[in-house]
Amino acid sequence: MRTLRPVLAVVVLAVAVAFSLAGGAGRGSGATDCPPSTGRLFCTTTTVTPSPVSASVDGVTAYVKLDLVVANEGGSTLTNGVVTVDLDDNVDGALQGSSSADFVGASPSSCTDVGGPNQTVVCSLPNLAARKTTAVALVYRTSETPLVDATVANVTVAVKEKRNDGSQTDPNPDTHTFPETINYEPCQDCSYAWAPTDKSVILSTTPDGNTWGSFSLTNRGGGVLTTLDETSVASSADHCTTGKTCFGQLIHAQASTVTLGTGELFAWQTTWSFDVVAKGISDKNVVIVHTLDNGDVEVISKRCSAEPPTAADVAGAGCLVPSIGGTKKAKTLIVHWYATHNGFGRGG
């Protein structure tokens, strides 16, 4: 197994790629919710990683992690604790009453996938002593619903304290429900995901008149954040190398602390409109300029003998498979490229 640490990036003739840890907080992420003051004294802190995250549409396969920490703020043990999470997709500002997200896994293992239109998951909590906390982590493949804006996770935490519940006149509520919003990024030039263990992640940006593409990996280690961004560059010399003329947008892919299995690779597909391809560059001579973390520069020019490539293909800097796509009036230059090294990259 190889553990790759930030920064990871590759340069394709005018495209740069870099890998590092990144995250963000959407509405409610990291917020704490408590029942009314007349209820049991427990509170729940929820965090969405990452937020925003990409919906699994238009070639994307993305995941999101929902962390819940339940804290007993009272002076006696809480028993029979249960967390229930229901999902509801929001499309054009309207809740759909169901979700196309998919439950992947949880910690602890006491969580049960009930399923149904709201992808219900129920988790049993251990007895919680006074001033103690317990944590639940849920991982989902994000919604596949077209034009989805967000998925609302309706979280219900229920606890029972026998001493208080013995009286039928007990006014204290033991159940508290609150929403946590999983926002989906609306950015055409970016794609974000949590990368759970042993799940294939595909980040993809929207085709436009400049540069677009995808970044694929299967993480064999603990879950990490992964991102793909495309940004403008100041000049053709940015993230380039002597003797090369780079073109298109800067591609910045982040995969911090990703662990690849033996023989596994990072895979990119980058597409440029011929309107931005440097003069004289075609599928015959395009390369990827790859700047490693230590400042050394590799030029990925070797053509892969097959897809997926062989071990010999990717020995050293890596390999690529270029082609011409698009239409006669709107041609594109397409490069599939494969590597295992951290660094920055751009096409040239």
Side-chain angles (χ1 to χ4, degrees):
M1 304 283 280
R2 298 182 302 279
T3 299
L4 303 188
R5 300 185 180 276
V7 169
L8 172 60
V10 182
V11 178
V12 184
L13 210 37
V15 177
V17 181
F19 291 79
S20 59
L21 184 61
R27 192 234 74 82
S29 187
T32 297
D33 294 86
C34 306
S37 58
T38 56
R40 302 316 311 137
L41 298 178
F42 65 88
C43 297
T44 306
T45 300
T46 54
T47 305
V48 177
T49 306
S51 186
V53 65
S54 294
S56 293
V57 297
D58 298 327
V60 172
T61 302
Y63 298 86
V64 65
K65 182 163 75 86
L66 182 65
D67 286 302
L68 310 171
V69 177
V70 181
N72 181 1
E73 303 291 349
S76 58
T77 299
L78 298 178
T79 63
N80 299 329
V82 176
V83 171
T84 302
V85 179
D86 294 321
L87 302 183
D88 195 351
D89 286 344
N90 190 304
V91 178
D92 197 23
L95 291 172
Q96 304 299 293
S98 62
S99 177
S100 63
D102 186 40
F103 176 67
V104 172
S107 176
S109 58
S110 58
C111 296
T112 300
D113 180 11
V114 178
N118 295 102
Q119 305 300 322
T120 302
V121 175
V122 178
C123 303
S124 298
L125 301 179
N127 291 346
L128 197 56
R131 308 299 176 183
K132 298 296 183 180
T133 64
T134 189
V136 174
L138 305 176
V139 177
Y140 297 89
R141 193 261 298 126
T142 58
S143 175
E144 295 178 328
T145 302
L147 304 179
V148 64
D149 302 311
T151 295
V152 177
N154 293 300
V155 181
T156 299
V157 183
V159 298
K160 182 177 181 181
E161 190 171 359
K162 293 181 179 179
R163 184 174 63 183
N164 287 336
D165 290 348
S167 170
Q168 294 183 355
T169 60
D170 177 12
N172 294 336
D174 295 308
T175 300
H176 181 50
T177 298
F178 56 90
E180 176 67 30
T181 301
I182 300 169
N183 292 304
Y184 294 121
E185 51 80 12
C187 173
Q188 292 188 333
D189 282 349
C190 58
S191 191
Y192 309 140
W194 180 254
T197 305
D198 295 334
K199 295 294 182 181
S200 176
V201 171
I202 303 174
L203 303 179
S204 183
T205 59
T206 303
D208 57 22
N210 194 323
T211 306
W212 65 95
S214 65
F215 170 59
S216 305
L217 61 97
T218 299
N219 180 28
R220 302 303 182 182
V224 295
L225 296 167
T226 57
T227 73
L228 178 65
D229 294 283
E230 295 162 2
T231 57
S232 298
V233 294
S235 72
S236 61
D238 281 2
H239 289 84
C240 203
T241 190
T242 303
K244 300 298 177 183
T245 302
C246 293
F247 54 86
Q249 292 175 306
L250 175 69
I251 298 174
H252 180 223
Q254 299 176 330
S256 180
T257 324
V258 163
T259 300
L260 297 179
T262 301
E264 292 184 330
L265 303 165
F266 291 116
W268 292 263
Q269 175 178 309
T270 305
T271 300
W272 300 269
S273 165
F274 257 83
D275 291 340
V276 301
V277 174
K279 185 177 180 179
I281 300 297
S282 71
D283 57 322
K284 305 302 182 184
N285 59 0
V286 64
V287 302
I288 303 295
V289 180
H290 186 197
T291 305
L292 305 184
D293 291 343
N294 62 7
D296 292 344
V297 176
E298 295 179 333
V299 176
I300 303 176
S301 59
K302 183 192 305 181
R303 269 45 181 173
C304 305
S305 64
E307 286 197 275
T310 66
D313 286 336
V314 296
C319 69
L320 54 83
V321 179
S323 62
I324 300 297
T327 65
K328 189 173 182 178
K329 290 186 177 181
K331 291 196 300 181
T332 59
L333 175 60
I334 304 167
V335 174
H336 297 178
W337 48 288
Y338 305 85
T340 61
H341 298 75
N342 284 343
F344 293 85
R346 193 177 178 196

